[in-house]
Amino acid sequence: MSVAFDCVDHQLLLQRLEKHCSLHGSVLLWMTSYLAGRTQKVLYSGLSSDAQRVSYGVPQGSVLGPLLFNLYLASLSSVVSVHGLNLHQYADDCQLYLSVPVDDAPSAVTRLSQCIADVASG
């Protein structure tokens, strides 16, 4: 999940805000406007690159950035719970874990692997 804030797909985020958070009409248009038309450029040693359109990521350093990221990942907890795992999230850091007796370690690895595969596919 490194640089996870930069990996948020704007279109997918807007779909999730509409479907899972019931944002519609002017509120959804406001969020679309907030994400759309963003550009970035690199400044190094006094030289600047051309501005490039940004289609991914939530604005870092903003109040909405962490909130939008958490809403983007809101469905993660339901996928994790299906596999009987625990989830700990803080900002862009997500940890899956479970406690099992040593004898159950192979089964725990299988459950974690299946969960990660489900997260990756969804």
Side-chain angles (χ1 to χ4, degrees), residues 38-94:
R38 291 189 172 272
T39 59
Q40 68 181 21
K41 58 183 178 178
V42 176
L43 180 63
Y44 180 75
S45 292
L47 299 173
S48 177
S49 69
D50 292 334
Q52 298 294 315
R53 186 172 166 260
V54 178
S55 301
Y56 294 89
V58 292
Q60 296 182 40
S62 69
V63 173
L64 286 179
L67 175 63
L68 289 174
F69 182 76
N70 284 329
L71 292 172
Y72 183 72
L73 290 183
S75 60
L76 179 61
S77 61
S78 61
V79 173
V80 169
S81 67
V82 165
H83 294 279
L85 304 176
N86 298 301
L87 173 67
H88 177 76
Q89 283 181 268
Y90 181 76
D92 67 345
D93 183 30
C94 298

Side-chain angles (χ1 to χ4, degrees), residues 3 6-7 16 22-23 32 56 59 67 81-82 91 94 108:
V3 278
D6 295 332
C7 298
R16 289 179 179 178
S22 298
L23 297 185
T32 302
Y56 294 89
L67 175 63
S81 67
V82 165
C94 298

Side-chain angles (χ1 to χ4, degrees), residues 11 61 81 99 115:
Q11 290 305 313
S81 67
S99 249
C115 182

